[in-house]
Amino acid sequence: MLISVVIPAYNVESCINRSVLSVLNQSFDDLEVIIVDDGSTDRTPSICDELAKKDHRVKVLHQKNSGVSEARNVGISHSLGKYIFFLDADDWLDLNYFKIVSKELKEGYYSLVCNSYKVVSKLNSNNDMCSYSESKVLNKGEALKELFLYGMICWAPFASFYRKDQLKDLQFDKKIKFGEDLLFKYSFIKNSSTPILYTHESGYFYDTSRDNSATNSYTVSKKVDDVLVIKKIMAEEPDFENLVYCKLYVPRILDYALFCDICTKESDIKICNRFKQEVLKSFIKLMLNSHISAKKKFKIALLVMPKFVRKLYFKYKKLDLV
């Protein structure tokens, strides 16, 4: 079997059919689908069981609610494919996606095959992310740089095929609630022993339109783990420390700092104020840093402006805390 598709599912009765059928109806069929029902309380379990009855390639595992990381880990442990592919239950695939990518996968040479993907918003506009016109074979250092730049390699686990024998004992960190995707992909690339391949195939549709999706439901206190992940990467990658600091760390704490003005929860306000003070203490250093973009410097400047100016900013520009 070439591909194992792992789908964590929690209270997704309205979209799980679309997601699973987009795999089962692929023009390529050397695959299995592993759905991990993470303690759903709606009709998700019964819908998944019905899908399994209709197609022998579907395997459904039920567990008590333990979070998406544990669900993915369970899916990995039960997978039989040469490559593992992660699909979120509210996303879907182009029906020719696997057939197009299968040529490179069958060669089995690459530890990781990454593609671009499409973001679907409430306006139904499809924006290509991590999209480049040419394919490229990357060594470990090049792949890490692309990951830190959110270039050819995105942070999320999706739109990526992981060779299972390269996973070894790697799992998603259950203690991290946000940023676990970045940590998983970083750790996988760091420990890979063969090259990574990027190909331009936008066959994955990432749906951000659902109001109750994981992307739209986080508060700052639930999201702040990503800062810890970025700090860990900086400590482990001295050659990339400045790049990670400028491209990942500063943008994250800056957005959290600006979020102070619109926080309503006391726990969120406390966290945001802490990052605001950190940015202000390094204000001059950051403003003089040539590796920090003009857009980020504008946000830094907003922190020392009157509050009504920031309110005007929030009125016309939503922070991308996703």
Side-chain angles (χ1 to χ4, degrees):
M1 187 180 300
L2 190 62
I3 304 171
S4 292
V5 181
V6 175
I7 306 177
Y10 176 69
N11 289 352
V12 285
E13 63 180 13
S14 64
C15 56
I16 186 64
N17 256 313
R18 178 183 66 179
S19 180
V20 175
L21 291 178
S22 76
V23 180
L24 298 179
N25 294 332
Q26 288 285 309
S27 53
F28 173 88
D29 63 1
D30 188 14
L31 56 84
E32 67 174 350
V33 179
I34 302 174
I35 308 172
V36 184
D37 165 40
D38 188 35
S40 298
T41 57
D42 63 357
R43 293 178 55 249
T44 296
S46 59
I47 293 173
C48 293
D49 289 339
E50 282 299 314
L51 288 166
K53 288 180 182 178
K54 294 177 181 178
D55 196 308
H56 71 279
R57 294 173 296 171
V58 179
K59 182 189 302 181
V60 181
L61 305 170
H62 299 284
Q63 66 177 31
K64 66 179 182 179
N65 183 244
S66 304
V68 65
S69 289
E70 178 63 8
R72 286 173 178 154
N73 291 337
V74 169
I76 291 171
S77 67
H78 285 80
S79 65
L80 300 175
K82 188 173 186 177
Y83 282 88
I84 294 176
F85 183 89
F86 298 104
L87 174 62
D88 286 351
D90 46 1
D91 300 338
W92 69 94
L93 308 177
D94 180 90
L95 297 184
N96 291 315
Y97 182 28
F98 285 176
K99 183 177 181 179
I100 294 171
V101 181
S102 64
K103 180 181 178 181
E104 286 80 12
L105 299 181
K106 287 177 181 178
E107 293 175 1
Y109 176 62
Y110 306 105
S111 59
L112 179 64
V113 176
C114 297
N115 308 126
S116 57
Y117 65 96
K118 294 182 182 295
V119 176
V120 181
S121 69
K122 287 184 177 180
L123 299 177
N124 295 319
S125 58
N126 296 336
N127 299 315
D128 283 352
M129 301 295 292
C130 299
S131 180
Y132 293 81
S133 59
E134 297 181 0
S135 298
K136 187 174 181 179
V137 177
L138 306 165
N139 61 35
K140 190 181 301 185
E142 292 169 332
L144 286 175
K145 185 176 181 179
E146 289 296 327
L147 177 67
F148 300 150
L149 291 172
Y150 209 95
M152 292 182 177
I153 302 179
C154 67
W155 295 2
F158 55 65
S160 303
F161 299 81
Y162 300 81
R163 213 171 81 188
K164 188 178 180 181
D165 64 2
Q166 296 272 331
L167 277 171
K168 300 181 176 63
D169 296 326
L170 179 63
Q171 292 188 324
F172 287 88
D173 191 330
K174 295 179 289 185
K175 296 179 182 178
I176 298 193
K177 302 302 181 185
F178 193 74
E180 81 286 352
D181 295 349
L182 171 60
L183 180 60
F184 179 85
K185 187 166 276 186
Y186 159 72
S187 300
F188 181 87
I189 293 172
K190 184 178 180 180
N191 295 318
S192 63
S193 59
T194 56
I196 288 90
L197 175 67
Y198 168 83
T199 65
H200 174 73
E201 302 297 341
S202 294
Y204 190 105
F205 293 86
Y206 175 49
D207 190 358
T208 64
S209 63
R210 293 177 65 235
D211 289 334
N212 61 339
S213 70
T215 297
N216 296 321
S217 62
Y218 282 104
T219 62
V220 174
S221 56
K222 290 182 179 180
K223 294 171 67 71
V224 75
D225 277 355
D226 61 356
V227 176
L228 300 178
V229 170
I230 294 169
K231 281 186 173 181
K232 175 180 172 63
I233 292 173
M234 283 195 294
E236 293 184 3
E237 299 295 334
D239 291 342
F240 291 108
E241 182 177 6
N242 187 56
L243 173 66
V244 175
Y245 176 77
C246 294
K247 299 300 182 181
L248 303 186
Y249 185 73
V250 171
R252 297 311 290 172
I253 67 169
L254 178 57
D255 278 352
Y256 289 139
L258 282 169
F259 209 60
C260 278
D261 291 327
I262 55 176
C263 283
T264 56
K265 294 183 178 180
E266 188 63 34
S267 57
D268 289 347
I269 294 173
K270 185 177 179 179
I271 293 169
C272 291
N273 271 319
R274 174 161 56 87
F275 288 125
K276 182 177 180 179
Q277 293 307 311
E278 183 176 345
V279 173
L280 292 177
K281 285 181 180 179
S282 302
F283 181 83
I284 295 176
K285 177 184 175 182
L286 294 173
M287 294 298 282
L288 294 176
N289 191 321
S290 60
H291 297 289
I292 295 177
S293 68
K295 180 179 179 181
K296 295 296 184 294
K297 289 179 179 178
F298 172 74
K299 288 186 176 182
I300 295 170
L302 279 173
L303 289 176
V304 296
M305 293 182 184
K307 189 173 182 178
F308 78 88
V309 176
R310 291 193 295 275
K311 284 188 174 182
L312 287 174
Y313 173 80
F314 280 113
K315 183 177 180 180
Y316 294 104
K317 176 67 177 179
K318 182 181 179 182
L319 282 178
D320 298 321
L321 289 174
V322 297

